């Protein structure tokens, strides 16, 4: 391989990373004049890395604010910052899924409701509860840790990284069912290669094992694998596959799952059992 060809490959991967960043955040980036469909497919391999970026930004804001504000308020503002950074991209999918699944009887009805830009009762209620669960989980996690800020910093980074990796992995295992040809997620959701899946998993593993004890990592892997199976069952039962909104909803559920698992691991009872070797 020549030096020029290696440079072209690195440049191609850089553009894929920028494409993933532009898709998941409101950060303006300069992309090539022509974005080919193959690039859209391949960009999904970097979604976990974008999650890591979002997690670091959100966690840094929280730690900075907590130096002069109560932790509970710092958590709330950091959550708002995350919404601004991502444009509430995943939260929108979460609300649409609950509106569609709750208000439709047939697959066609559910898809039509999910495409509707208006927010329904199911969606509004689901947004309230998911945000409240996130907030309460993070506040409780800080109260159960001897180093609250470090615990929250690690939790946010891991949750944002792993939730995007696992939700993106659904593309590899499920069929895309949206009938909307204009769907902004369709080009990205049609295909995830084995190489792309491995990059997602390796990124997640490096982040997780760098920040947590091995035992905690294994518990997280088991918990998220179970959640992934449940999500596949749920989406297949409701739609026979997934849509872009389903990926957003999956990310939200998995993010909460990470906070919940870390909270259980940090609880006094679990700590006692671990120290006792049980």
């Amino acid at each position: 391989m020549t030096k020029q060809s290696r440079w072209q490959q690195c440049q191609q991967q850089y553009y894929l990373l920028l494409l993933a960043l532009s898709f998941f955040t409101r950060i303006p980036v300069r992309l090539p004049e022509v974005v080919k469909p193959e690039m859209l497919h391949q960009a999904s391999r970097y979604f976990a890395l974008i999650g890591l970026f979002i997690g670091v930004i959100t966690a840094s804001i929280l730690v900075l604010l907590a130096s002069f504000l109560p932790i509970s308020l710092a958590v709330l503002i950091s959550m708002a910052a995350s919404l601004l950074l991502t444009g509430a991209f995943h939260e929108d999918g979460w609300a649409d899924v609950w509106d569609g699944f709750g208000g439709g009887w047939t697959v066609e009805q559910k898809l039509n409701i999910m495409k509707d830009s208006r927010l329904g009762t199911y969606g509004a209620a689901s947004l309230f509860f998911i945000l409240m669960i996130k907030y309460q989980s993070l506040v409780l996690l800080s109260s159960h840790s001897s180093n609250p800020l470090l615990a929250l910093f690690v939790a946010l980074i891991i949750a944002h990284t792993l939730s995007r990796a696992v939700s993106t992995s659904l593309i590899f295992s499920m069929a895309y069912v949206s009938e909307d040809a204009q769907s902004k997620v369709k080009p990205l959701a049609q295909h995830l290669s084995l190489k792309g899946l491995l990059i997602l998993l390796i990124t997640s593993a490096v982040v997780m094992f760098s920040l947590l004890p091995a035992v905690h990592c294994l518990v997280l892997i088991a918990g998220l694998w179970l959640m992934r199976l449940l999500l596949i069952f749920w989406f297949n039962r409701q739609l026979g596959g997934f849509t872009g909104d389903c990926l957003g909803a999956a990310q939200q559920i998995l993010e909460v799952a990470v906070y919940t698992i870390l909270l259980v691991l940090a609880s006094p009872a679990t700590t006692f059992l671990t120290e006792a070797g049980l």
Side-chain angles (χ1 to χ4, degrees):
M1 183 182 295
T2 65
K3 184 177 180 180
Q4 182 178 5
S5 61
R6 284 197 299 268
W7 167 251
Q8 290 176 342
Q9 286 191 358
C10 291
Q11 188 178 47
Q12 175 73 5
Q13 296 306 309
Y14 173 68
Y15 284 143
L16 293 179
L17 181 60
L18 288 182
L19 184 57
L21 182 66
S22 69
F23 188 76
F24 271 148
T25 73
R26 291 297 183 91
I27 298 175
V29 298
R30 180 174 295 181
L31 296 171
E33 293 183 2
V34 178
V35 178
K36 299 178 181 179
E38 305 84 63
M39 292 180 64
L40 295 171
H41 294 308
Q42 296 169 8
S44 57
R45 68 184 61 176
Y46 293 122
F47 286 177
L49 195 58
I50 301 304
L52 171 62
F53 170 76
I54 294 170
V56 169
I57 296 296
T58 305
S60 299
I61 291 172
L62 190 154
V63 171
L64 176 63
L65 292 174
S67 63
F68 55 87
L69 291 175
I71 286 183
S72 58
L73 185 56
V75 167
L76 193 59
I77 296 175
S78 70
M79 289 174 58
S82 174
L83 293 175
L84 290 173
L85 181 61
T86 63
F89 186 71
H90 302 292
E91 287 79 4
D92 178 68
W94 167 262
D96 286 343
V97 162
W98 281 103
D99 275 337
F101 290 6
W105 291 97
T106 66
V107 171
E108 183 179 3
Q109 288 175 344
K110 292 171 185 177
L111 290 174
N112 287 333
I113 293 172
M114 290 163 69
K115 294 171 190 174
D116 194 330
S117 60
R118 293 171 294 181
L119 182 64
T121 303
Y122 285 106
S126 70
L127 276 175
F128 171 80
F129 282 111
I130 199 73
L131 292 173
M132 284 299 296
I133 293 171
K134 285 184 191 181
Y135 171 76
Q136 193 65 21
S137 297
L138 289 169
V139 171
L140 287 172
L141 184 60
S142 69
S143 67
H144 287 175
S145 174
S146 58
N147 191 335
L149 293 184
L150 179 61
L152 292 178
F153 190 87
V154 169
L156 286 169
I157 291 175
I158 290 178
H160 281 284
T161 303
L162 268 60
S163 62
R164 284 168 176 82
V166 178
S167 60
T168 304
S169 75
L170 297 178
I171 302 172
F172 186 79
S173 306
M174 301 179 68
Y176 188 82
V177 297
S178 176
E179 298 172 355
D180 185 1
Q182 303 301 318
S183 172
K184 61 184 177 182
V185 79
K186 185 174 182 179
L188 286 164
Q190 285 180 323
H191 177 68
L192 176 65
S193 66
L194 179 59
K195 180 180 179 181
L197 178 63
L198 290 175
I199 291 175
L200 284 171
L201 296 178
I202 292 172
T203 303
S204 303
V206 169
V207 172
M208 185 169 49
F209 282 93
S210 298
L211 296 175
L212 288 176
V215 174
H216 290 192
C217 292
L218 294 177
V219 173
L220 268 176
I221 291 171
L224 294 181
W225 179 256
L226 176 60
M227 287 300 303
R228 185 180 185 274
L229 294 177
L230 292 174
L231 286 167
I232 291 174
F233 174 79
W234 186 35
F235 294 149
N236 279 332
R237 186 174 180 83
Q238 293 288 335
L239 299 176
F242 75 98
T243 68
D245 287 329
C246 291
L247 296 182
Q251 187 278 327
Q252 291 291 288
I253 294 175
L254 292 162
E255 183 183 341
V256 167
V258 171
Y259 298 144
T260 304
I261 293 171
L262 292 178
L263 181 58
V264 170
L265 291 172
S267 67
T270 305
T271 303
F272 172 78
L273 292 175
T274 302
E275 291 175 350
L278 300 176

